[in-house]
Amino acid sequence: MLSVLLPILHFTPVMAQEANYDEEKVPVYSLPDPLLCADGKYVNSVKDWERKRRPELLQLFADKEYGRTPKNKIKTSWQLIRKNPQALGGLATSEQVMLTFKGQGQERKALLLAYIPNQRNGRVPVFIGYNFMGNHSLTTDSTICYSPFFEQITDKASPLLKRNAQFSRWPLEDVVRRGYAVVTMCYQDIFPDRADGTSSSIIPLFPENQDGESRWQALGAWAWGSSRIADWVQRQPWANASQLVIIGHSRQGKAAIWAGVQDERFQVVISNNSGCGGAALSKRTFGETVGRITRSFPHWFCPAFSKYSGNEQELPFDQHELLALIAPRRLYVASAEEDRWADPRGEFLAAQATSPVYALYGLKGIEGTAMPTVHQPIQNQVAYHIRAGKHDVTAYDWHRYMDFCDRAFDHPNPTLRPSLSSAPLAGHVLVIGIDGWGSYSLSKAHDIPNIRSLMAQGCYTLKKRSVLPSSSAVNWASMFNGSCPEFHGYTEWGSQTPEIPSIELNEHNIFPTIFSLLRKTRPDAVTGCLAEWGGIKHVVDSLSINNYSVAANWEKDHGELCRMAEAFIKQSKPTLLAVCWDQLDHTGHADGHDTPAYYNTLAELDLQVGRLIEALKQAGIYDDTIIILTADHGGKEKGHGGKSLLEMEVPFVICGKGVRCGMQISEPMMQYDTAATIAHIFAIPTPFSWIGRPQLSVFN
Ligand code: GTR
């Protein structure tokens, strides 16, 4: 048995090097318009789409690519084989259920494996997806039975029976912790993945005649099998049957799309690196082609598909039209940077080209034609990301899928600490950061009427402490990412990457910041971070910010940053804007902190603070804004970084909508409480890696 199994589990593409990987050699092609019907009429309404064009396309894909799924049902029974209420270290209950299919005097068995989160409030959303190497490949748990396909292996020392071989593709604990159930099965149980697999597959159980060019094969059978998993899931008391997600990687990505297209119970369809015959456009003939795939895997598609081998321009459809059949449900297409065989660009373009169909429903697909860079997910009703690395499905991918599903299902992420505020307290937050502004200065500075007026109108403390060392990057990091250096990992004056690995990474592979959390919970939020010191870029997650800019010429032009901020406030009415001055610290280093020159610079900045407030008024958002004025650290003589309170104590002033008037904050405050307070204002849940506490006492 082993010798039969091995070659088919070896996925390296045959002679992949012959494929075209040159964008210049992609032929000129024209994509069929999904809204143009066979009779030349154009679809203008959802009704036309659903009654006429959608069925027409569905038939086309069945006839010419995936084969026709039989209309008949066959007898299916389920039997619970094993249940473990303490799976995954007590996080989940696992259930192993044997599915038996009967028909035409034959039977087939497939073993389903479910992980249900033990901590749940009501029914949970469910990820449904096949595994490649058997249920035993997901975990070290020896109570997980071998899938029937692997049960046939007589040599018990076979490497194919090794447990946990595919654990990295199934971050089960992460998924369950986020409140999702996972149900999987080995795809080989439904159709053994080999050219002569049909006879051992479920196909002979159906009474329909299985001859002809449009006969279903492996992809059709796998898609059918996913729906049988959904049948079981739907009946479970813990499952939310209106929140089913189908996920598939590679060949199973192709099957997942086809399953999602046919079975509208799948509310979210996820194609991970599905490539040719999946999400990638065939007409680009980039990487794997119709010719190659139908030769290497003659048992996947219906025989009619091979007619287009080397003849892709004659295809009466392309894969974007297949993806469009998922509308108005959610679709997620993901690629991997090094997976050129699957043509990441072709996958993106196909996802993008579904937009006119989503637009019929008034839904946003993917705007613009520019492909995002690595780790820059676009998540509308249609989502796309490209991840660094190879053909694979990783924890990074899964977390992006869960982010997407959280929004689709309005499903709170239980790995986040819920916000104490149920709705935003203000529409806008302006953070004004003054590098090197020590609290000691308040007793001596005379010319700062605007700052003093903010203090009088709102609340303040002069005892907010910097984290150590009392230097810039480490403190800007803590200010914006709600945590301590030991967690976020930025520990120095000029840290650009964490010196200690960040304890948590977000979608951009950096520690979650207030900007990235806001982006995730409110994709349409307008954010800005404008600074004089370029070092801030590395600690704010600039990728999640609409406008990250540096005032390059500020040393000569002290008003440059202020003008940039005024313009941005007036033009864009930002939801969250941080304006960070470096000038005061600069004076501190040049002339000394606590010197006449230092107070002069502070007075100059005070005027600019006044101008920013004026800009808020002109933009018409002043009454809906909370202003925070604070600093990264103070200073002593011509430096900072040490442990004196001159260096470590900085002001924190907060005023504006819903903030108490004229109060001195008595609670102790740390640098990282700043981000937590902003998160509270926006009612954003925060990760457990954030240790900051919102300053609750300041709000009415
Ligand atoms: C490759 C095949 C791809 C993809 C992949 C996989 O050999 O050419 O289309 O499906 O296998 O499933 O890993």
Side-chain angles (χ1 to χ4, degrees), residues 129-146:
Y130 285 113
N131 62 73
F132 282 79
M133 303 286 280
N135 295 347
H136 64 281
S137 69
L138 271 61
T139 143
T140 49
D141 181 352
S142 58
T143 67
I144 302 302
C145 307
Y146 289 110

Side-chain angles (χ1 to χ4, degrees), residues 34-83:
L35 297 178
L36 187 63
C37 302
D39 62 6
K41 297 222 173 86
Y42 206 75
V43 170
N44 287 311
S45 66
V46 167
K47 194 173 136 214
D48 285 353
W49 168 257
E50 290 183 353
R51 301 225 179 129
K52 186 175 172 193
R53 181 59 176 157
R54 190 179 186 278
E56 189 174 283
L57 275 170
L58 193 55
Q59 193 61 50
L60 205 55
F61 282 106
D63 290 347
K64 304 209 179 286
E65 189 165 3
Y66 302 99
R68 296 179 189 151
T69 311
K71 301 256 181 305
N72 281 316
K73 289 202 167 107
I74 56 169
K75 205 170 167 284
T76 307
S77 60
W78 304 296
Q79 192 197 353
L80 179 67
I81 300 287
R82 234 176 171 145
K83 180 169 175 166

Side-chain angles (χ1 to χ4, degrees), residues 533-548:
W533 184 55
I536 288 182
K537 178 176 185 181
H538 309 284
V539 299
V540 288
D541 187 3
S542 61
L543 296 176
S544 68
I545 300 176
N546 298 87
N547 180 3
Y548 171 81

Side-chain angles (χ1 to χ4, degrees), residues 10-14 132 169 187 193 249-252 254 273-277 288 292-293 296-297 300 341-342 391:
H10 194 252
F11 298 147
T12 317
V14 210
F132 282 79
R169 287 186 170 182
Y187 79 129
D193 192 1
H249 166 62
S250 202
R251 66 196 69 186
Q252 286 317 317
K254 309 180 212 292
N273 306 183
S274 63
C276 180
E288 188 172 30
R292 182 60 64 71
I293 203 167
S296 313
F297 307 101
W300 284 3
W341 183 240
H391 184 70

